[in-house]
Amino acid sequence: MKVQQNTITNTKTNSATKDTTENWSIDSSENIYRVNRWGDGYFGIGEHGSISVTPRYDQPDLSINLQEVVDEIAAEGIDFPVVIRFHDILRSQVERLNRTFRKTIEEADYEGRYFGVFPVKVNQMREVIEEIVSAGKRFDYGLEAGSKPELIAALAYNTNKNSLTILNGYKDEEYLKLALLGQKINRKTIIVIEKFSELTSLISLSKSLDIKPLIGLRVKMMVKGRGKWENSSGERAKFGLSIAEILNAIDLLDQEGLKDTIKLLHFHIGSQLTDIRAIKEAVQESSLIYTQLVKQGVPLEYVDVGGGLAVDYDGSQSTNDSSCNYNLEEYIADIIYGFKQSCDLESVPHPHIVSESGRAMTAHHSCVVTKIIGEIQPSGKLYNTRKETGEHIIVANIREIEDNLSVDNFQESYNDVTQLKEQAMQAFKLSVLNLDELAKIETIYWRILNQVGQLLQNEDFVPEELKEIPEMLSSQYLANFSVFQSAADSWAIDQVLPIVPISRLNEKPTKLCSLVDITCDSDGKIDKFIGDDTVAQHIPLHTLKNSEDYYIGIFLTGAYQDVMGDMHNLFGRLNEVHIVSYDDDPKDFYIEEVVKGSSVKNVLSTMQYTPEIMAQIVKKEIDKQIQRGKINPREGVNWIDFYENCLDGYTYLK
Ligand SMILES: *Cc1c(COP(=O)(O)O)cnc(C)c1O
């Protein structure tokens, strides 16, 4: 089993950033970006210095160079940003989950089977659901729905009669009726009772339609999840029945002659459970409830352990919010051996196990790739600092500090220029300095700061008061994407998503950066990155070159992020590229499908605009100007075409 590690030691990354440009290697980059660690076998850094993708866990030799994928997308004329979807990773994860459950069940001599379900809410895209259902077919892997629309999708897509369809969420009569329709068409639809009143509606509905339901009871667990979603459990949880309600429910169903419909015991203590101890405790608590109920004659066959299997987004293998201190094998072993032990103690049959892992199934399969389109430097543009005769003493002083700056005096110099800059501001306010002099002081000030920053990189010990310098010198890289559309949880709940340049990983990244997006919103930025111990506000990236596009990937966006995005600034959905791995191809992949993202027309229509009418209005205005002789007719036609082309075009920057 894996060693539990709560923090990554500081030395690692520090020593990595200390690696010089000459002895820089892909290992130095790994120390910063931890691609192997969050990549979970699917992502790494190739010898070529680019991200490599190994989309099948059982075919480690199949390797795709992500830069080649990006090049092909660009060559096909598909505009960035794009979502890249690796369907093989999706399949691979479904197989891995099911195979590991099967293997553990076999090794433990466990008598029940595993019937996993994929929770549709984690990624409702049709292509994702189809791929999961197809990959899960031979394992009888089913779907979980938490709302009416999701159930309607599940009824159409989960066509395997041996797999389960688990129904969570609050239910009205229509929802319950749809569930019974499932029963009519031979599906194993288990209605999980979240709230006592659902039971009374279900009983009368099933009597009037004469359809026997399959019922699950969701229990409000005492144990608390750990992490951001810990309120999904405990007495004040939104969903589930207390123990008293569970016993009342069983009584009621017994009185109605429906006790034999109680098939499943359900719990879900939260998503992204960072600490394995929460899972162990939940298994212990739920297995006690299960064994007691069975001994009381409740014909339970399944226990559903819910979701919560975490993804190690920051690669720290810790109980950080964006990490977890366990892996898939441990998680499954704790469930299977936990239930076996409790059941054997009480001589109760082992239940079939259901789990609803969503995040862990889909997070890895998609990423967002975009270009850095600009840099916002704190120091701004350089200004001519030519020496003038008789210049002001403050200008002369700061010039002198720059001339004398060395390894021996940089701390003192830093203190002095900080003071001089303040004096300069005061002097300007008193009209002692003019704008030209102020601009010179500012320019020299930033030059000195940059040099101090360089000198600091070679120091083993950085004095406390100089620690702010790298931060002051950091740049903002402007990336062509919207945080609100593509990385919603980074904005909403400070989740860390791995962000890594696609290439140049054999080259030292010398710029400390944060990322800003193209929305007109000051929240439209990412300043939570993989850090040494916890979360860093900056990430080292490479300097931009005029001759070469610089692409970055935002990884592990396949769960929730893919589908939670909003229309802030009307940017809309991204162009999507589906990659399928293919051994016989020289590059090991081909683009299977391109799904166009939102056009300007699309997003305007969803906000109730009528693009055709808008084009007419603009055309009328142009015609008016033509009649007045302000625009010539040919030019006018070009302007109209231009407006219409923009309506049809992509919402992101070209
Ligand atoms: C959201 C949810 C899940 C999925 O949880 P993950 O942490 O993504 O695995 C499973 N079951 C229920 C009831 C949920 O609400």
Side-chain angles (χ1 to χ4, degrees), residues 222-285:
M222 294 297 154
V223 53
K224 283 252 185 188
R226 310 277 198 280
K228 291 201 178 281
W229 287 269
E230 63 176 31
N231 289 335
S232 305
S233 62
E235 278 168 36
R236 297 281 301 158
K238 185 167 136 187
F239 292 114
L241 308 178
S242 65
I243 296 294
E245 285 175 315
I246 295 238
L247 295 181
N248 283 340
I250 293 165
D251 268 352
L252 179 64
L253 287 164
D254 198 9
Q255 283 162 27
E256 301 288 343
L258 289 169
K259 192 171 176 182
D260 60 333
T261 63
I262 312 174
K263 296 291 180 200
L264 176 141
L265 185 72
H266 183 284
F267 69 88
H268 170 72
I269 60 168
S271 194
Q272 184 69 10
L273 298 170
T274 59
D275 192 343
I276 188 79
R277 280 177 299 183
I279 293 152
K280 290 180 196 282
E281 287 167 28
V283 166
Q284 195 186 18
E285 185 179 332

Side-chain angles (χ1 to χ4, degrees), residues 13 33 60 95 162 166 181 217 220 232 235 311 345 408 415 430 462 469 484 533 572 582:
T13 325
Y33 304 113
E95 288 169 18
N162 299 318
I166 301 278
L181 164 65
L217 299 173
K220 252 184 204 165
S232 305
E235 278 168 36
V311 168
L345 265 173
D408 304 320
N415 292 335
L430 297 170
V462 178
I469 293 182
F484 308 98
D533 293 327
Y582 182 48

Side-chain angles (χ1 to χ4, degrees), residues 119 121-122 144 168 218 266 268 270-272 306-309 356-359 560:
K121 80 156 189 266
V122 178
E144 183 264 2
N168 292 318
R218 176 162 176 174
H266 183 284
H268 170 72
S271 194
Q272 184 69 10
L309 175 56
E356 305 174 345
S357 295
R359 187 185 294 278
Y560 302 102

